[in-house]
Amino acid sequence: MEHGYPGGASERRQRILEATERLLRRYGPAKTTVADIAREAEIAVGAVYLEFASKDAIVEELSQGEHRAVMAAMRAAAVRDDVPFCDRLRAVFDARARAFLELAGSGAHACDLVHCQSRAVKAAHARFLDEERALLRDLVARGAGAGALDAADPELTARALLRAYASFAPPWLFQGSREEVEAMLSAVHRIVLYGLVGRGPAREPGG
């Protein structure tokens, strides 16, 4: 998964981010110190503080990068105009699950960057939740406007979809094998998403 480091970052800042990411994947945020980061980046501790106010600031930036990569995959799935709206919604949730599962395979503590008790990670994740709800609301609204989805309230529908798919996001997504997750996700698609397919104008009984 391509990470979202901010453009124009200084070489020293980049080294700090890359060093911290390596450490976090092995040990997690709780067991990584600024001294560890400085040693891994081969710079002085004071140089770390010239770029970041605290360890939390580094962790939050890395967490935002991971969440940006997941959101980019979801947005790419949402813009397929040649695909029916229900299939686009399915692709969005598939892309989200796939991106998080790829992260899970990249280190013992890699998932700590998208789900842990760290205040920095929680702050980045809260922004991600707002963005994914907005993405779904827009997609549902466009589908309803085109008559393809039966959703009178796109905001409520988006929130309901996120609740229905909560077990396919961290931390629950990481429980069980990837094959089991994918099979269950496919089953939920059949149960949940295709009930949104627009049915056209309502007819009177016997009409």
Side-chain angles (χ1 to χ4, degrees):
M1 187 161 56
E2 187 174 340
H3 307 297
Y5 296 142
S10 70
E11 180 183 349
R12 180 172 61 190
R13 189 179 185 89
Q14 187 77 10
R15 285 175 62 187
I16 292 168
L17 289 169
E18 291 174 354
T20 306
E21 185 170 25
R22 289 193 297 272
L23 291 170
L24 294 182
R25 288 179 187 276
R26 293 199 295 268
Y27 308 114
K31 294 185 178 180
T32 299
T33 67
V34 172
D36 294 332
I37 294 167
R39 188 162 45 249
E40 181 75 12
E42 299 181 339
I43 60 175
V45 170
V48 176
Y49 287 110
L50 289 174
E51 298 289 346
F52 296 94
S54 64
K55 183 185 80 173
D56 273 357
I58 308 174
V59 172
E60 185 170 349
E61 187 160 319
L62 287 170
S63 182
Q64 286 176 2
E66 297 292 359
H67 282 102
R68 277 194 295 268
V70 176
M71 184 56 60
M74 294 172 70
R75 288 194 172 113
V79 297
R80 292 285 308 278
D81 290 336
D82 58 326
V83 175
F85 280 96
C86 262
D87 291 344
R88 268 188 263 179
L89 285 167
R90 176 176 184 150
V92 165
F93 283 111
D94 283 345
R96 183 181 73 167
R98 191 162 47 246
F100 279 130
L101 286 170
E102 286 175 5
L103 176 62
S106 61
H109 289 271
C111 295
D112 288 357
L113 281 172
V114 292
H115 177 79
C116 73
Q117 296 305 309
S118 163
R119 180 175 57 187
V121 173
K122 285 182 176 180
H125 190 64
R127 284 190 286 273
F128 170 79
L129 294 178
D130 287 341
E131 289 183 19
E132 71 169 354
R133 187 175 68 251
L135 172 68
L136 289 170
R137 183 183 62 230
D138 177 66
L139 186 55
V140 169
R142 288 191 286 122
L149 299 180
D150 183 10
D153 185 337
E155 172 67 22
L156 179 62
T157 301
R159 292 168 67 91
L161 285 171
L162 288 170
R163 183 72 63 89
Y165 281 88
S167 59
F168 299 102
W172 304 279
L173 178 68
F174 305 133
Q175 299 171 7
S177 69
R178 181 164 186 158
E179 292 75 17
E180 182 183 13
V181 168
E182 290 175 347
M184 291 180 65
L185 182 57
S186 181
V188 171
H189 288 328
R190 290 193 297 271
I191 296 166
V192 175
L193 284 184
Y194 294 98
L196 278 175
V197 175
R199 295 167 177 79
R203 294 185 179 181
E204 293 295 328

mmCIF file of all heavy atoms in Angstrom, residues 146-180:
data_model
loop_
_atom_site.group_PDB
_atom_site.id
_atom_site.type_symbol
_atom_site.label_atom_id
_atom_site.label_comp_id
_atom_site.label_asym_id
_atom_site.label_seq_id
_atom_site.Cartn_x
_atom_site.Cartn_y
_atom_site.Cartn_z
ATOM 1 N N ALA A 146 -30.219 8.996 -9.429
ATOM 2 C CA ALA A 146 -30.327 8.330 -10.736
ATOM 3 C C ALA A 146 -31.420 7.265 -10.757
ATOM 4 O O ALA A 146 -31.657 6.638 -11.794
ATOM 5 C CB ALA A 146 -28.981 7.686 -11.081
ATOM 6 N N GLY A 147 -32.080 7.064 -9.602
ATOM 7 C CA GLY A 147 -33.123 6.048 -9.533
ATOM 8 C C GLY A 147 -32.596 4.633 -9.405
ATOM 9 O O GLY A 147 -33.346 3.669 -9.501
ATOM 10 N N ALA A 148 -31.271 4.507 -9.171
ATOM 11 C CA ALA A 148 -30.673 3.174 -9.096
ATOM 12 C C ALA A 148 -30.688 2.611 -7.682
ATOM 13 O O ALA A 148 -30.592 1.391 -7.501
ATOM 14 C CB ALA A 148 -29.235 3.231 -9.610
ATOM 15 N N LEU A 149 -30.771 3.490 -6.674
ATOM 16 C CA LEU A 149 -30.784 3.053 -5.279
ATOM 17 C C LEU A 149 -32.047 3.549 -4.591
ATOM 18 O O LEU A 149 -32.517 4.661 -4.863
ATOM 19 C CB LEU A 149 -29.551 3.588 -4.528
ATOM 20 C CG LEU A 149 -28.172 3.165 -5.038
ATOM 21 C CD1 LEU A 149 -27.084 3.790 -4.176
ATOM 22 C CD2 LEU A 149 -28.024 1.652 -5.077
ATOM 23 N N ASP A 150 -32.569 2.752 -3.699
ATOM 24 C CA ASP A 150 -33.759 3.105 -2.925
ATOM 25 C C ASP A 150 -33.282 3.645 -1.577
ATOM 26 O O ASP A 150 -33.147 2.898 -0.610
ATOM 27 C CB ASP A 150 -34.634 1.863 -2.735
ATOM 28 C CG ASP A 150 -35.930 2.173 -2.004
ATOM 29 O OD1 ASP A 150 -36.234 3.365 -1.822
ATOM 30 O OD2 ASP A 150 -36.625 1.215 -1.614
ATOM 31 N N ALA A 151 -32.987 4.941 -1.524
ATOM 32 C CA ALA A 151 -32.421 5.546 -0.311
ATOM 33 C C ALA A 151 -32.936 6.980 -0.201
ATOM 34 O O ALA A 151 -32.362 7.903 -0.785
ATOM 35 C CB ALA A 151 -30.897 5.521 -0.365
ATOM 36 N N ALA A 152 -33.996 7.159 0.569
ATOM 37 C CA ALA A 152 -34.590 8.493 0.704
ATOM 38 C C ALA A 152 -33.702 9.435 1.506
ATOM 39 O O ALA A 152 -33.731 10.643 1.303
ATOM 40 C CB ALA A 152 -35.963 8.376 1.373
ATOM 41 N N ASP A 153 -32.907 8.883 2.426
ATOM 42 C CA ASP A 153 -32.039 9.694 3.284
ATOM 43 C C ASP A 153 -30.603 9.179 3.135
ATOM 44 O O ASP A 153 -30.193 8.245 3.820
ATOM 45 C CB ASP A 153 -32.495 9.598 4.737
ATOM 46 C CG ASP A 153 -31.722 10.514 5.676
ATOM 47 O OD1 ASP A 153 -30.580 10.893 5.338
ATOM 48 O OD2 ASP A 153 -32.253 10.840 6.750
ATOM 49 N N PRO A 154 -29.804 9.753 2.217
ATOM 50 C CA PRO A 154 -28.449 9.252 1.974
ATOM 51 C C PRO A 154 -27.547 9.268 3.202
ATOM 52 O O PRO A 154 -26.735 8.352 3.385
ATOM 53 C CB PRO A 154 -27.925 10.201 0.876
ATOM 54 C CG PRO A 154 -29.150 10.649 0.161
ATOM 55 C CD PRO A 154 -30.186 10.790 1.237
ATOM 56 N N GLU A 155 -27.684 10.292 4.045
ATOM 57 C CA GLU A 155 -26.852 10.346 5.251
ATOM 58 C C GLU A 155 -27.168 9.172 6.177
ATOM 59 O O GLU A 155 -26.258 8.488 6.668
ATOM 60 C CB GLU A 155 -27.084 11.675 5.982
ATOM 61 C CG GLU A 155 -26.418 11.773 7.362
ATOM 62 C CD GLU A 155 -24.902 11.791 7.321
ATOM 63 O OE1 GLU A 155 -24.326 12.138 6.264
ATOM 64 O OE2 GLU A 155 -24.287 11.455 8.349
ATOM 65 N N LEU A 156 -28.455 8.927 6.413
ATOM 66 C CA LEU A 156 -28.854 7.812 7.270
ATOM 67 C C LEU A 156 -28.431 6.485 6.650
ATOM 68 O O LEU A 156 -27.961 5.568 7.354
ATOM 69 C CB LEU A 156 -30.365 7.838 7.491
ATOM 70 C CG LEU A 156 -30.941 6.709 8.363
ATOM 71 C CD1 LEU A 156 -30.361 6.763 9.766
ATOM 72 C CD2 LEU A 156 -32.466 6.791 8.406
ATOM 73 N N THR A 157 -28.586 6.363 5.342
ATOM 74 C CA THR A 157 -28.197 5.132 4.664
ATOM 75 C C THR A 157 -26.702 4.888 4.793
ATOM 76 O O THR A 157 -26.261 3.759 5.052
ATOM 77 C CB THR A 157 -28.597 5.183 3.179
ATOM 78 O OG1 THR A 157 -30.012 5.365 3.074
ATOM 79 C CG2 THR A 157 -28.201 3.901 2.451
ATOM 80 N N ALA A 158 -25.898 5.935 4.619
ATOM 81 C CA ALA A 158 -24.451 5.802 4.750
ATOM 82 C C ALA A 158 -24.068 5.348 6.154
ATOM 83 O O ALA A 158 -23.230 4.457 6.336
ATOM 84 C CB ALA A 158 -23.763 7.123 4.422
ATOM 85 N N ARG A 159 -24.693 5.941 7.156
ATOM 86 C CA ARG A 159 -24.402 5.565 8.541
ATOM 87 C C ARG A 159 -24.833 4.124 8.809
ATOM 88 O O ARG A 159 -24.137 3.376 9.507
ATOM 89 C CB ARG A 159 -25.102 6.526 9.500
ATOM 90 C CG ARG A 159 -24.536 7.939 9.457
ATOM 91 C CD ARG A 159 -25.436 8.930 10.191
ATOM 92 N NE ARG A 159 -25.453 8.656 11.605
ATOM 93 C CZ ARG A 159 -24.613 9.197 12.491
ATOM 94 N NH1 ARG A 159 -23.675 10.047 12.082
ATOM 95 N NH2 ARG A 159 -24.707 8.913 13.771
ATOM 96 N N ALA A 160 -25.980 3.725 8.257
ATOM 97 C CA ALA A 160 -26.459 2.355 8.440
ATOM 98 C C ALA A 160 -25.521 1.354 7.766
ATOM 99 O O ALA A 160 -25.235 0.282 8.318
ATOM 100 C CB ALA A 160 -27.875 2.220 7.889
ATOM 101 N N LEU A 161 -25.035 1.699 6.569
ATOM 102 C CA LEU A 161 -24.096 0.811 5.880
ATOM 103 C C LEU A 161 -22.815 0.642 6.687
ATOM 104 O O LEU A 161 -22.293 -0.475 6.821
ATOM 105 C CB LEU A 161 -23.776 1.364 4.488
ATOM 106 C CG LEU A 161 -24.864 1.196 3.433
ATOM 107 C CD1 LEU A 161 -24.509 1.973 2.170
ATOM 108 C CD2 LEU A 161 -25.083 -0.278 3.096
ATOM 109 N N LEU A 162 -22.304 1.731 7.228
ATOM 110 C CA LEU A 162 -21.085 1.642 8.025
ATOM 111 C C LEU A 162 -21.303 0.798 9.277
ATOM 112 O O LEU A 162 -20.423 0.040 9.689
ATOM 113 C CB LEU A 162 -20.586 3.042 8.394
ATOM 114 C CG LEU A 162 -19.984 3.819 7.220
ATOM 115 C CD1 LEU A 162 -19.734 5.261 7.602
ATOM 116 C CD2 LEU A 162 -18.677 3.160 6.766
ATOM 117 N N ARG A 163 -22.498 0.912 9.866
ATOM 118 C CA ARG A 163 -22.796 0.069 11.023
ATOM 119 C C ARG A 163 -22.867 -1.403 10.607
ATOM 120 O O ARG A 163 -22.355 -2.284 11.303
ATOM 121 C CB ARG A 163 -24.124 0.525 11.648
ATOM 122 C CG ARG A 163 -24.527 -0.226 12.899
ATOM 123 C CD ARG A 163 -23.663 0.157 14.085
ATOM 124 N NE ARG A 163 -23.820 1.554 14.426
ATOM 125 C CZ ARG A 163 -24.724 2.030 15.273
ATOM 126 N NH1 ARG A 163 -25.580 1.193 15.853
ATOM 127 N NH2 ARG A 163 -24.775 3.315 15.574
ATOM 128 N N ALA A 164 -23.500 -1.665 9.472
ATOM 129 C CA ALA A 164 -23.637 -3.045 9.002
ATOM 130 C C ALA A 164 -22.287 -3.665 8.663
ATOM 131 O O ALA A 164 -22.088 -4.876 8.818
ATOM 132 C CB ALA A 164 -24.558 -3.085 7.777
ATOM 133 N N TYR A 165 -21.351 -2.827 8.193
ATOM 134 C CA TYR A 165 -20.034 -3.328 7.778
ATOM 135 C C TYR A 165 -18.957 -3.081 8.833
ATOM 136 O O TYR A 165 -17.771 -3.222 8.540
ATOM 137 C CB TYR A 165 -19.622 -2.672 6.458
ATOM 138 C CG TYR A 165 -20.294 -3.279 5.248
ATOM 139 C CD1 TYR A 165 -21.531 -2.816 4.816
ATOM 140 C CD2 TYR A 165 -19.699 -4.324 4.555
ATOM 141 C CE1 TYR A 165 -22.162 -3.379 3.711
ATOM 142 C CE2 TYR A 165 -20.322 -4.891 3.449
ATOM 143 C CZ TYR A 165 -21.548 -4.414 3.037
ATOM 144 O OH TYR A 165 -22.163 -4.986 1.944
ATOM 145 N N ALA A 166 -19.356 -2.772 10.054
ATOM 146 C CA ALA A 166 -18.377 -2.442 11.100
ATOM 147 C C ALA A 166 -17.404 -3.583 11.370
ATOM 148 O O ALA A 166 -16.228 -3.352 11.678
ATOM 149 C CB ALA A 166 -19.101 -2.060 12.385
ATOM 150 N N SER A 167 -17.860 -4.821 11.240
ATOM 151 C CA SER A 167 -16.980 -5.947 11.531
ATOM 152 C C SER A 167 -15.943 -6.181 10.432
ATOM 153 O O SER A 167 -15.063 -7.033 10.580
ATOM 154 C CB SER A 167 -17.789 -7.228 11.752
ATOM 155 O OG SER A 167 -18.554 -7.542 10.610
ATOM 156 N N PHE A 168 -16.023 -5.416 9.333
ATOM 157 C CA PHE A 168 -15.049 -5.542 8.253
ATOM 158 C C PHE A 168 -14.092 -4.346 8.232
ATOM 159 O O PHE A 168 -13.561 -3.958 7.193
ATOM 160 C CB PHE A 168 -15.766 -5.709 6.916
ATOM 161 C CG PHE A 168 -16.619 -6.935 6.878
ATOM 162 C CD1 PHE A 168 -17.992 -6.857 7.042
ATOM 163 C CD2 PHE A 168 -16.039 -8.189 6.732
ATOM 164 C CE1 PHE A 168 -18.777 -8.000 7.042
ATOM 165 C CE2 PHE A 168 -16.815 -9.338 6.734
ATOM 166 C CZ PHE A 168 -18.187 -9.241 6.889
ATOM 167 N N ALA A 169 -13.892 -3.759 9.403
ATOM 168 C CA ALA A 169 -12.928 -2.674 9.612
ATOM 169 C C ALA A 169 -12.173 -2.990 10.892
ATOM 170 O O ALA A 169 -12.608 -3.833 11.681
ATOM 171 C CB ALA A 169 -13.661 -1.333 9.718
ATOM 172 N N PRO A 170 -11.020 -2.353 11.106
ATOM 173 C CA PRO A 170 -10.277 -2.616 12.340
ATOM 174 C C PRO A 170 -11.128 -2.321 13.567
ATOM 175 O O PRO A 170 -11.919 -1.376 13.540
ATOM 176 C CB PRO A 170 -9.091 -1.635 12.245
ATOM 177 C CG PRO A 170 -8.957 -1.358 10.777
ATOM 178 C CD PRO A 170 -10.344 -1.389 10.237
ATOM 179 N N PRO A 171 -10.961 -3.097 14.664
ATOM 180 C CA PRO A 171 -10.025 -4.220 14.833
ATOM 181 C C PRO A 171 -10.609 -5.573 14.448
ATOM 182 O O PRO A 171 -9.882 -6.550 14.314
ATOM 183 C CB PRO A 171 -9.760 -4.189 16.338
ATOM 184 C CG PRO A 171 -11.074 -3.772 16.922
ATOM 185 C CD PRO A 171 -11.649 -2.755 15.932
ATOM 186 N N TRP A 172 -11.940 -5.642 14.266
ATOM 187 C CA TRP A 172 -12.585 -6.939 14.051
ATOM 188 C C TRP A 172 -12.145 -7.591 12.751
ATOM 189 O O TRP A 172 -12.128 -8.816 12.651
ATOM 190 C CB TRP A 172 -14.105 -6.762 14.084
ATOM 191 C CG TRP A 172 -14.564 -6.140 15.358
ATOM 192 C CD1 TRP A 172 -14.759 -6.756 16.565
ATOM 193 C CD2 TRP A 172 -14.864 -4.756 15.567
ATOM 194 N NE1 TRP A 172 -15.154 -5.850 17.514
ATOM 195 C CE2 TRP A 172 -15.232 -4.604 16.933
ATOM 196 C CE3 TRP A 172 -14.855 -3.623 14.753
ATOM 197 C CZ2 TRP A 172 -15.586 -3.385 17.484
ATOM 198 C CZ3 TRP A 172 -15.203 -2.403 15.297
ATOM 199 C CH2 TRP A 172 -15.564 -2.294 16.643
ATOM 200 N N LEU A 173 -11.793 -6.793 11.773
ATOM 201 C CA LEU A 173 -11.368 -7.328 10.478
ATOM 202 C C LEU A 173 -10.176 -8.271 10.616
ATOM 203 O O LEU A 173 -10.026 -9.201 9.832
ATOM 204 C CB LEU A 173 -11.004 -6.167 9.543
ATOM 205 C CG LEU A 173 -10.487 -6.520 8.151
ATOM 206 C CD1 LEU A 173 -11.598 -7.144 7.321
ATOM 207 C CD2 LEU A 173 -9.956 -5.279 7.451
ATOM 208 N N PHE A 174 -9.341 -8.025 11.617
ATOM 209 C CA PHE A 174 -8.111 -8.786 11.749
ATOM 210 C C PHE A 174 -8.286 -10.094 12.520
ATOM 211 O O PHE A 174 -7.323 -10.772 12.820
ATOM 212 C CB PHE A 174 -7.042 -7.918 12.431
ATOM 213 C CG PHE A 174 -6.806 -6.609 11.733
ATOM 214 C CD1 PHE A 174 -6.755 -5.420 12.447
ATOM 215 C CD2 PHE A 174 -6.647 -6.564 10.362
ATOM 216 C CE1 PHE A 174 -6.549 -4.207 11.807
ATOM 217 C CE2 PHE A 174 -6.445 -5.359 9.705
ATOM 218 C CZ PHE A 174 -6.386 -4.180 10.425
ATOM 219 N N GLN A 175 -9.509 -10.435 12.853
ATOM 220 C CA GLN A 175 -9.783 -11.690 13.557
ATOM 221 C C GLN A 175 -10.236 -12.732 12.540
ATOM 222 O O GLN A 175 -11.184 -12.518 11.800
ATOM 223 C CB GLN A 175 -10.862 -11.468 14.622
ATOM 224 C CG GLN A 175 -10.445 -10.452 15.678
ATOM 225 C CD GLN A 175 -11.590 -10.068 16.603
ATOM 226 O OE1 GLN A 175 -12.666 -10.636 16.550
ATOM 227 N NE2 GLN A 175 -11.339 -9.076 17.444
ATOM 228 N N GLY A 176 -9.561 -13.844 12.497
ATOM 229 C CA GLY A 176 -9.900 -14.887 11.524
ATOM 230 C C GLY A 176 -9.026 -14.793 10.283
ATOM 231 O O GLY A 176 -8.302 -13.819 10.072
ATOM 232 N N SER A 177 -9.113 -15.811 9.453
ATOM 233 C CA SER A 177 -8.291 -15.867 8.242
ATOM 234 C C SER A 177 -8.824 -14.918 7.183
ATOM 235 O O SER A 177 -9.998 -14.534 7.195
ATOM 236 C CB SER A 177 -8.283 -17.293 7.678
ATOM 237 O OG SER A 177 -9.559 -17.617 7.156
ATOM 238 N N ARG A 178 -7.955 -14.562 6.236
ATOM 239 C CA ARG A 178 -8.366 -13.687 5.139
ATOM 240 C C ARG A 178 -9.457 -14.350 4.304
ATOM 241 O O ARG A 178 -10.400 -13.690 3.872
ATOM 242 C CB ARG A 178 -7.161 -13.345 4.267
ATOM 243 C CG ARG A 178 -7.501 -12.424 3.112
ATOM 244 C CD ARG A 178 -6.278 -11.809 2.503
ATOM 245 N NE ARG A 178 -6.627 -10.829 1.482
ATOM 246 C CZ ARG A 178 -5.829 -9.859 1.074
ATOM 247 N NH1 ARG A 178 -4.646 -9.719 1.627
ATOM 248 N NH2 ARG A 178 -6.208 -9.017 0.142
ATOM 249 N N GLU A 179 -9.351 -15.661 4.099
ATOM 250 C CA GLU A 179 -10.355 -16.374 3.298
ATOM 251 C C GLU A 179 -11.727 -16.305 3.967
ATOM 252 O O GLU A 179 -12.750 -16.091 3.305
ATOM 253 C CB GLU A 179 -9.939 -17.836 3.112
ATOM 254 C CG GLU A 179 -8.709 -18.037 2.229
ATOM 255 C CD GLU A 179 -7.405 -17.665 2.917
ATOM 256 O OE1 GLU A 179 -7.393 -17.555 4.175
ATOM 257 O OE2 GLU A 179 -6.397 -17.460 2.212
ATOM 258 N N GLU A 180 -11.744 -16.462 5.289
ATOM 259 C CA GLU A 180 -13.012 -16.395 6.017
ATOM 260 C C GLU A 180 -13.603 -14.991 5.947
ATOM 261 O O GLU A 180 -14.809 -14.825 5.746
ATOM 262 C CB GLU A 180 -12.787 -16.784 7.477
ATOM 263 C CG GLU A 180 -14.062 -16.788 8.315
ATOM 264 C CD GLU A 180 -13.797 -17.106 9.774
ATOM 265 O OE1 GLU A 180 -12.622 -17.089 10.190
ATOM 266 O OE2 GLU A 180 -14.776 -17.350 10.499
#
